Amino acid sequence: MKLTDIHCHMLPFVDDGPDSVMEAKALLAESYEQGVRRIIATPHYRPEMFETPIKRIRYSYSRMKEIAAEMGIRMRLGCEFYRNEHLVSLLREGERPSLAGSRYVLIEFSTNDLFQTIHNSVYELLTNGYKPVIAHIERYACCGEIEKIKELRALGASVQINAGAVLGNAGRHTRRYCKKLMQADLIDFIASDTHDTKNRRPNLGECAAFVEKKMGKEYAARIFVKNPGKIWNFEKQVKK
């Protein structure tokens, strides 16, 4: 499979991802070896923590996009938004990008947030014409019940989990939880959430092989190829 990674931190000097161009190149090379051919780079935006000027982000992205292309990887820009009251205005004013220029928006929450907080943020994005993608939902204590996930998806949210969590890197409990979500068909995307070459390396190919073995080829193709393709090809679908 030619994989698409919709959530990763591979741009240097913009957040807590790679701290050099050399390390960013290494992450791209590892991603290619993992079978990744399309990447949406999603640097953090979190008030008072990650507020890198968009010009600096676009400069880093432009540079890495060229390097990625030389390696055989297509790259587009996105953002991992930490939930905040200015999210919609940031998107409308072009201060931060959606995922690959689509209407899909990657949003993360505090591990201690109430379910109502997540519900409200999802609802706000939806009512303003966006398609929320909840980042690494396995981290949120308030979403530990299957019924909560069903409620968010029924509302219109998409759900993303991290490849490392599926592989057991976050512990047995989280691995079992991810398995439960997959068996209930409540996952839309699995992404690497890659940050560096030490502790959070590219692992999407490893995860795709594991998911294919456990859930079958058709399921794996949907999660790693077809669903990400809806984001990547969003503009083409709208024009039809």
Side-chain angles (χ1 to χ4, degrees), residues 13 19 35-36 38 43 47-49 51 57 59 71 104 117 133-134 140-141 161 186 195 198 203 207-208 217 230:
F13 314 122
D19 57 12
V36 175
R38 298 189 299 195
E48 300 181 7
M49 183 175 289
E51 296 185 81
I57 290 174
Y59 175 80
M71 294 182 179
Y104 288 86
T117 299
V133 178
I134 302 174
Y140 313 133
I161 57 177
L186 295 175
H195 276 69
K198 296 179 180 179
N203 58 0
C207 184
K217 290 184 178 181
K230 294 178 182 178

PDB file of all heavy atoms in Angstrom, residues 13 19 35-36 38 43 47-49 51 57 59 71 104 117 133-134 140-141 161 186 195 198 203 207-208 217 230:
ATOM      1  N   PHE A  13      12.164  23.417  13.289  1.00  0.00           N
ATOM      2  CA  PHE A  13      12.168  24.771  13.871  1.00  0.00           C
ATOM      3  C   PHE A  13      10.782  25.402  14.024  1.00  0.00           C
ATOM      4  O   PHE A  13      10.687  26.624  14.121  1.00  0.00           O
ATOM      5  CB  PHE A  13      13.045  25.721  13.030  1.00  0.00           C
ATOM      6  CG  PHE A  13      14.373  25.161  12.639  1.00  0.00           C
ATOM      7  CD1 PHE A  13      14.721  25.054  11.296  1.00  0.00           C
ATOM      8  CD2 PHE A  13      15.281  24.728  13.592  1.00  0.00           C
ATOM      9  CE1 PHE A  13      15.953  24.535  10.914  1.00  0.00           C
ATOM     10  CE2 PHE A  13      16.515  24.210  13.222  1.00  0.00           C
ATOM     11  CZ  PHE A  13      16.850  24.108  11.884  1.00  0.00           C
ATOM     12  N   ASP A  19      14.640  19.269  15.295  1.00  0.00           N
ATOM     13  CA  ASP A  19      15.317  20.531  15.585  1.00  0.00           C
ATOM     14  C   ASP A  19      16.437  20.834  14.596  1.00  0.00           C
ATOM     15  O   ASP A  19      17.288  21.698  14.848  1.00  0.00           O
ATOM     16  CB  ASP A  19      15.845  20.549  17.020  1.00  0.00           C
ATOM     17  CG  ASP A  19      16.782  19.388  17.317  1.00  0.00           C
ATOM     18  OD1 ASP A  19      17.211  18.704  16.360  1.00  0.00           O
ATOM     19  OD2 ASP A  19      17.090  19.166  18.496  1.00  0.00           O
ATOM     20  N   GLY A  35       6.768   3.025   3.598  1.00  0.00           N
ATOM     21  CA  GLY A  35       5.740   2.942   2.573  1.00  0.00           C
ATOM     22  C   GLY A  35       4.892   4.191   2.426  1.00  0.00           C
ATOM     23  O   GLY A  35       3.897   4.200   1.696  1.00  0.00           O
ATOM     24  N   VAL A  36       5.275   5.269   3.126  1.00  0.00           N
ATOM     25  CA  VAL A  36       4.516   6.518   3.058  1.00  0.00           C
ATOM     26  C   VAL A  36       4.900   7.281   1.789  1.00  0.00           C
ATOM     27  O   VAL A  36       6.079   7.500   1.522  1.00  0.00           O
ATOM     28  CB  VAL A  36       4.792   7.396   4.294  1.00  0.00           C
ATOM     29  CG1 VAL A  36       4.100   8.746   4.167  1.00  0.00           C
ATOM     30  CG2 VAL A  36       4.337   6.681   5.566  1.00  0.00           C
ATOM     31  N   ARG A  38       2.584  10.031   0.774  1.00  0.00           N
ATOM     32  CA  ARG A  38       1.962  11.354   0.917  1.00  0.00           C
ATOM     33  C   ARG A  38       1.937  11.712   2.401  1.00  0.00           C
ATOM     34  O   ARG A  38       1.589  10.886   3.243  1.00  0.00           O
ATOM     35  CB  ARG A  38       0.531  11.348   0.355  1.00  0.00           C
ATOM     36  CG  ARG A  38       0.469  11.027  -1.124  1.00  0.00           C
ATOM     37  CD  ARG A  38      -0.915  11.226  -1.733  1.00  0.00           C
ATOM     38  NE  ARG A  38      -1.931  10.376  -1.137  1.00  0.00           N
ATOM     39  CZ  ARG A  38      -3.123  10.157  -1.684  1.00  0.00           C
ATOM     40  NH1 ARG A  38      -3.446  10.730  -2.831  1.00  0.00           N
ATOM     41  NH2 ARG A  38      -3.997   9.373  -1.087  1.00  0.00           N
ATOM     42  N   PRO A  43       2.157  20.938  12.049  1.00  0.00           N
ATOM     43  CA  PRO A  43       2.777  21.580  13.222  1.00  0.00           C
ATOM     44  C   PRO A  43       1.723  22.034  14.226  1.00  0.00           C
ATOM     45  O   PRO A  43       0.609  22.395  13.849  1.00  0.00           O
ATOM     46  CB  PRO A  43       3.520  22.773  12.611  1.00  0.00           C
ATOM     47  CG  PRO A  43       2.898  22.998  11.280  1.00  0.00           C
ATOM     48  CD  PRO A  43       2.451  21.661  10.804  1.00  0.00           C
ATOM     49  N   PRO A  47      -2.108  28.102  21.977  1.00  0.00           N
ATOM     50  CA  PRO A  47      -1.847  29.415  22.588  1.00  0.00           C
ATOM     51  C   PRO A  47      -0.916  29.317  23.789  1.00  0.00           C
ATOM     52  O   PRO A  47      -1.065  28.431  24.636  1.00  0.00           O
ATOM     53  CB  PRO A  47      -3.251  29.885  23.001  1.00  0.00           C
ATOM     54  CG  PRO A  47      -4.158  29.230  22.007  1.00  0.00           C
ATOM     55  CD  PRO A  47      -3.551  27.868  21.790  1.00  0.00           C
ATOM     56  N   GLU A  48       0.065  30.226  23.819  1.00  0.00           N
ATOM     57  CA  GLU A  48       1.035  30.346  24.901  1.00  0.00           C
ATOM     58  C   GLU A  48       2.028  29.183  24.949  1.00  0.00           C
ATOM     59  O   GLU A  48       2.831  29.103  25.870  1.00  0.00           O
ATOM     60  CB  GLU A  48       0.343  30.494  26.262  1.00  0.00           C
ATOM     61  CG  GLU A  48      -0.548  31.729  26.348  1.00  0.00           C
ATOM     62  CD  GLU A  48      -1.199  31.884  27.709  1.00  0.00           C
ATOM     63  OE1 GLU A  48      -0.863  31.106  28.626  1.00  0.00           O
ATOM     64  OE2 GLU A  48      -2.037  32.792  27.862  1.00  0.00           O
ATOM     65  N   MET A  49       1.987  28.310  23.959  1.00  0.00           N
ATOM     66  CA  MET A  49       2.966  27.227  23.904  1.00  0.00           C
ATOM     67  C   MET A  49       3.570  27.100  22.506  1.00  0.00           C
ATOM     68  O   MET A  49       4.785  27.139  22.338  1.00  0.00           O
ATOM     69  CB  MET A  49       2.345  25.891  24.326  1.00  0.00           C
ATOM     70  CG  MET A  49       3.339  24.741  24.356  1.00  0.00           C
ATOM     71  SD  MET A  49       2.631  23.189  24.993  1.00  0.00           S
ATOM     72  CE  MET A  49       2.442  23.585  26.724  1.00  0.00           C
ATOM     73  N   GLU A  51       3.032  29.008  19.065  1.00  0.00           N
ATOM     74  CA  GLU A  51       2.429  30.062  18.266  1.00  0.00           C
ATOM     75  C   GLU A  51       3.436  30.580  17.231  1.00  0.00           C
ATOM     76  O   GLU A  51       3.556  31.779  17.009  1.00  0.00           O
ATOM     77  CB  GLU A  51       1.961  31.214  19.160  1.00  0.00           C
ATOM     78  CG  GLU A  51       0.859  30.842  20.130  1.00  0.00           C
ATOM     79  CD  GLU A  51       0.331  32.034  20.918  1.00  0.00           C
ATOM     80  OE1 GLU A  51      -0.501  32.778  20.365  1.00  0.00           O
ATOM     81  OE2 GLU A  51       0.778  32.228  22.061  1.00  0.00           O
ATOM     82  N   ILE A  57       6.462  29.016   9.415  1.00  0.00           N
ATOM     83  CA  ILE A  57       5.974  27.669   9.127  1.00  0.00           C
ATOM     84  C   ILE A  57       5.955  27.417   7.630  1.00  0.00           C
ATOM     85  O   ILE A  57       6.397  26.363   7.144  1.00  0.00           O
ATOM     86  CB  ILE A  57       4.561  27.473   9.727  1.00  0.00           C
ATOM     87  CG1 ILE A  57       4.638  27.420  11.255  1.00  0.00           C
ATOM     88  CG2 ILE A  57       3.925  26.189   9.175  1.00  0.00           C
ATOM     89  CD1 ILE A  57       3.293  27.371  11.935  1.00  0.00           C
ATOM     90  N   TYR A  59       7.702  28.877   5.335  1.00  0.00           N
ATOM     91  CA  TYR A  59       9.072  28.805   4.827  1.00  0.00           C
ATOM     92  C   TYR A  59       9.652  27.405   5.059  1.00  0.00           C
ATOM     93  O   TYR A  59      10.243  26.805   4.153  1.00  0.00           O
ATOM     94  CB  TYR A  59       9.950  29.850   5.515  1.00  0.00           C
ATOM     95  CG  TYR A  59      11.415  29.745   5.125  1.00  0.00           C
ATOM     96  CD1 TYR A  59      11.867  30.280   3.924  1.00  0.00           C
ATOM     97  CD2 TYR A  59      12.321  29.087   5.960  1.00  0.00           C
ATOM     98  CE1 TYR A  59      13.206  30.155   3.556  1.00  0.00           C
ATOM     99  CE2 TYR A  59      13.657  28.962   5.594  1.00  0.00           C
ATOM    100  CZ  TYR A  59      14.096  29.502   4.396  1.00  0.00           C
ATOM    101  OH  TYR A  59      15.419  29.375   4.042  1.00  0.00           O
ATOM    102  N   MET A  71      12.681  12.755  -2.625  1.00  0.00           N
ATOM    103  CA  MET A  71      12.676  11.402  -2.057  1.00  0.00           C
ATOM    104  C   MET A  71      11.513  10.555  -2.571  1.00  0.00           C
ATOM    105  O   MET A  71      11.432   9.370  -2.276  1.00  0.00           O
ATOM    106  CB  MET A  71      12.599  11.480  -0.527  1.00  0.00           C
ATOM    107  CG  MET A  71      13.804  12.087   0.138  1.00  0.00           C
ATOM    108  SD  MET A  71      13.604  12.065   1.950  1.00  0.00           S
ATOM    109  CE  MET A  71      15.149  12.797   2.474  1.00  0.00           C
ATOM    110  N   TYR A 104     -11.291  19.556   6.266  1.00  0.00           N
ATOM    111  CA  TYR A 104     -10.952  18.738   7.433  1.00  0.00           C
ATOM    112  C   TYR A 104      -9.986  19.504   8.342  1.00  0.00           C
ATOM    113  O   TYR A 104      -9.026  20.115   7.862  1.00  0.00           O
ATOM    114  CB  TYR A 104     -10.307  17.420   7.008  1.00  0.00           C
ATOM    115  CG  TYR A 104     -11.256  16.436   6.372  1.00  0.00           C
ATOM    116  CD1 TYR A 104     -11.528  16.487   5.007  1.00  0.00           C
ATOM    117  CD2 TYR A 104     -11.881  15.450   7.130  1.00  0.00           C
ATOM    118  CE1 TYR A 104     -12.397  15.581   4.414  1.00  0.00           C
ATOM    119  CE2 TYR A 104     -12.751  14.540   6.542  1.00  0.00           C
ATOM    120  CZ  TYR A 104     -13.000  14.607   5.187  1.00  0.00           C
ATOM    121  OH  TYR A 104     -13.860  13.709   4.602  1.00  0.00           O
ATOM    122  N   THR A 117     -16.647  19.374  26.561  1.00  0.00           N
ATOM    123  CA  THR A 117     -15.701  20.282  25.914  1.00  0.00           C
ATOM    124  C   THR A 117     -15.384  19.804  24.499  1.00  0.00           C
ATOM    125  O   THR A 117     -15.366  20.587  23.548  1.00  0.00           O
ATOM    126  CB  THR A 117     -14.407  20.380  26.731  1.00  0.00           C
ATOM    127  OG1 THR A 117     -14.707  20.902  28.026  1.00  0.00           O
ATOM    128  CG2 THR A 117     -13.386  21.287  26.043  1.00  0.00           C
ATOM    129  N   VAL A 133     -11.439  16.406  12.749  1.00  0.00           N
ATOM    130  CA  VAL A 133     -10.762  15.116  12.935  1.00  0.00           C
ATOM    131  C   VAL A 133     -10.153  15.153  14.325  1.00  0.00           C
ATOM    132  O   VAL A 133      -9.245  15.952  14.593  1.00  0.00           O
ATOM    133  CB  VAL A 133      -9.654  14.887  11.881  1.00  0.00           C
ATOM    134  CG1 VAL A 133      -8.945  13.553  12.145  1.00  0.00           C
ATOM    135  CG2 VAL A 133     -10.230  14.925  10.474  1.00  0.00           C
ATOM    136  N   ILE A 134     -10.643  14.328  15.225  1.00  0.00           N
ATOM    137  CA  ILE A 134     -10.157  14.327  16.605  1.00  0.00           C
ATOM    138  C   ILE A 134      -8.838  13.563  16.670  1.00  0.00           C
ATOM    139  O   ILE A 134      -8.781  12.367  16.365  1.00  0.00           O
ATOM    140  CB  ILE A 134     -11.185  13.699  17.556  1.00  0.00           C
ATOM    141  CG1 ILE A 134     -12.511  14.467  17.477  1.00  0.00           C
ATOM    142  CG2 ILE A 134     -10.660  13.698  18.990  1.00  0.00           C
ATOM    143  CD1 ILE A 134     -13.630  13.832  18.277  1.00  0.00           C
ATOM    144  N   TYR A 140      -7.709  10.507  25.603  1.00  0.00           N
ATOM    145  CA  TYR A 140      -8.668  11.277  26.388  1.00  0.00           C
ATOM    146  C   TYR A 140      -9.506  10.382  27.300  1.00  0.00           C
ATOM    147  O   TYR A 140     -10.285   9.551  26.825  1.00  0.00           O
ATOM    148  CB  TYR A 140      -9.578  12.090  25.465  1.00  0.00           C
ATOM    149  CG  TYR A 140      -8.810  12.837  24.400  1.00  0.00           C
ATOM    150  CD1 TYR A 140      -9.216  12.810  23.071  1.00  0.00           C
ATOM    151  CD2 TYR A 140      -7.653  13.552  24.729  1.00  0.00           C
ATOM    152  CE1 TYR A 140      -8.502  13.490  22.096  1.00  0.00           C
ATOM    153  CE2 TYR A 140      -6.935  14.222  23.763  1.00  0.00           C
ATOM    154  CZ  TYR A 140      -7.362  14.188  22.440  1.00  0.00           C
ATOM    155  OH  TYR A 140      -6.642  14.852  21.470  1.00  0.00           O
ATOM    156  N   ALA A 141      -9.347  10.599  28.598  1.00  0.00           N
ATOM    157  CA  ALA A 141     -10.049   9.758  29.576  1.00  0.00           C
ATOM    158  C   ALA A 141     -11.562   9.803  29.394  1.00  0.00           C
ATOM    159  O   ALA A 141     -12.243   8.791  29.575  1.00  0.00           O
ATOM    160  CB  ALA A 141      -9.682  10.221  30.994  1.00  0.00           C
ATOM    161  N   ILE A 161      -6.422   7.710  15.567  1.00  0.00           N
ATOM    162  CA  ILE A 161      -5.599   7.158  16.643  1.00  0.00           C
ATOM    163  C   ILE A 161      -4.157   7.067  16.146  1.00  0.00           C
ATOM    164  O   ILE A 161      -3.903   7.056  14.939  1.00  0.00           O
ATOM    165  CB  ILE A 161      -6.083   5.774  17.135  1.00  0.00           C
ATOM    166  CG1 ILE A 161      -6.141   4.768  15.978  1.00  0.00           C
ATOM    167  CG2 ILE A 161      -7.435   5.892  17.825  1.00  0.00           C
ATOM    168  CD1 ILE A 161      -6.540   3.365  16.406  1.00  0.00           C
ATOM    169  N   LEU A 186     -14.937   2.090  14.548  1.00  0.00           N
ATOM    170  CA  LEU A 186     -15.109   3.472  14.990  1.00  0.00           C
ATOM    171  C   LEU A 186     -13.889   4.350  14.714  1.00  0.00           C
ATOM    172  O   LEU A 186     -13.799   5.468  15.197  1.00  0.00           O
ATOM    173  CB  LEU A 186     -15.433   3.504  16.487  1.00  0.00           C
ATOM    174  CG  LEU A 186     -16.770   2.872  16.890  1.00  0.00           C
ATOM    175  CD1 LEU A 186     -16.925   2.858  18.408  1.00  0.00           C
ATOM    176  CD2 LEU A 186     -17.934   3.617  16.245  1.00  0.00           C
ATOM    177  N   HIS A 195       7.532  12.706  15.623  1.00  0.00           N
ATOM    178  CA  HIS A 195       8.141  13.944  16.122  1.00  0.00           C
ATOM    179  C   HIS A 195       9.658  13.989  15.942  1.00  0.00           C
ATOM    180  O   HIS A 195      10.213  15.053  15.708  1.00  0.00           O
ATOM    181  CB  HIS A 195       7.839  14.133  17.608  1.00  0.00           C
ATOM    182  CG  HIS A 195       6.524  14.764  17.901  1.00  0.00           C
ATOM    183  ND1 HIS A 195       5.321  14.137  17.665  1.00  0.00           N
ATOM    184  CD2 HIS A 195       6.209  15.983  18.418  1.00  0.00           C
ATOM    185  CE1 HIS A 195       4.324  14.946  18.034  1.00  0.00           C
ATOM    186  NE2 HIS A 195       4.845  16.071  18.485  1.00  0.00           N
ATOM    187  N   LYS A 198      14.312   9.769  17.815  1.00  0.00           N
ATOM    188  CA  LYS A 198      14.670   9.047  19.029  1.00  0.00           C
ATOM    189  C   LYS A 198      13.497   8.255  19.604  1.00  0.00           C
ATOM    190  O   LYS A 198      13.525   7.033  19.657  1.00  0.00           O
ATOM    191  CB  LYS A 198      15.211  10.019  20.079  1.00  0.00           C
ATOM    192  CG  LYS A 198      16.507  10.697  19.670  1.00  0.00           C
ATOM    193  CD  LYS A 198      16.986  11.672  20.741  1.00  0.00           C
ATOM    194  CE  LYS A 198      18.271  12.341  20.314  1.00  0.00           C
ATOM    195  NZ  LYS A 198      18.768  13.326  21.323  1.00  0.00           N
ATOM    196  N   ASN A 203       6.387   5.133  11.914  1.00  0.00           N
ATOM    197  CA  ASN A 203       6.023   3.732  12.137  1.00  0.00           C
ATOM    198  C   ASN A 203       4.723   3.347  11.430  1.00  0.00           C
ATOM    199  O   ASN A 203       4.099   2.346  11.775  1.00  0.00           O
ATOM    200  CB  ASN A 203       5.881   3.454  13.641  1.00  0.00           C
ATOM    201  CG  ASN A 203       4.837   4.358  14.305  1.00  0.00           C
ATOM    202  OD1 ASN A 203       4.214   5.197  13.660  1.00  0.00           O
ATOM    203  ND2 ASN A 203       4.652   4.200  15.614  1.00  0.00           N
ATOM    204  N   CYS A 207       2.647  -0.309  11.414  1.00  0.00           N
ATOM    205  CA  CYS A 207       1.280  -0.375  11.918  1.00  0.00           C
ATOM    206  C   CYS A 207       0.317  -0.891  10.851  1.00  0.00           C
ATOM    207  O   CYS A 207      -0.570  -1.694  11.146  1.00  0.00           O
ATOM    208  CB  CYS A 207       0.841   1.004  12.401  1.00  0.00           C
ATOM    209  SG  CYS A 207      -0.800   1.006  13.156  1.00  0.00           S
ATOM    210  N   ALA A 208       0.491  -0.440   9.618  1.00  0.00           N
ATOM    211  CA  ALA A 208      -0.386  -0.889   8.528  1.00  0.00           C
ATOM    212  C   ALA A 208      -0.296  -2.409   8.346  1.00  0.00           C
ATOM    213  O   ALA A 208      -1.313  -3.084   8.141  1.00  0.00           O
ATOM    214  CB  ALA A 208      -0.025  -0.170   7.233  1.00  0.00           C
ATOM    215  N   LYS A 217      -7.117  -7.030   4.731  1.00  0.00           N
ATOM    216  CA  LYS A 217      -6.615  -6.099   3.731  1.00  0.00           C
ATOM    217  C   LYS A 217      -7.598  -4.971   3.438  1.00  0.00           C
ATOM    218  O   LYS A 217      -7.219  -3.815   3.285  1.00  0.00           O
ATOM    219  CB  LYS A 217      -6.281  -6.844   2.441  1.00  0.00           C
ATOM    220  CG  LYS A 217      -5.073  -7.747   2.535  1.00  0.00           C
ATOM    221  CD  LYS A 217      -4.764  -8.367   1.184  1.00  0.00           C
ATOM    222  CE  LYS A 217      -3.518  -9.253   1.261  1.00  0.00           C
ATOM    223  NZ  LYS A 217      -3.191  -9.850  -0.061  1.00  0.00           N
ATOM    224  N   LYS A 230      -9.650  10.957   0.964  1.00  0.00           N
ATOM    225  CA  LYS A 230     -10.768  11.896   0.992  1.00  0.00           C
ATOM    226  C   LYS A 230     -10.293  13.293   1.387  1.00  0.00           C
ATOM    227  O   LYS A 230     -10.848  14.297   0.928  1.00  0.00           O
ATOM    228  CB  LYS A 230     -11.842  11.413   1.977  1.00  0.00           C
ATOM    229  CG  LYS A 230     -12.530  10.121   1.570  1.00  0.00           C
ATOM    230  CD  LYS A 230     -13.536   9.697   2.630  1.00  0.00           C
ATOM    231  CE  LYS A 230     -14.200   8.380   2.250  1.00  0.00           C
ATOM    232  NZ  LYS A 230     -15.158   7.930   3.301  1.00  0.00           N
TER     233      LYS A 230
END
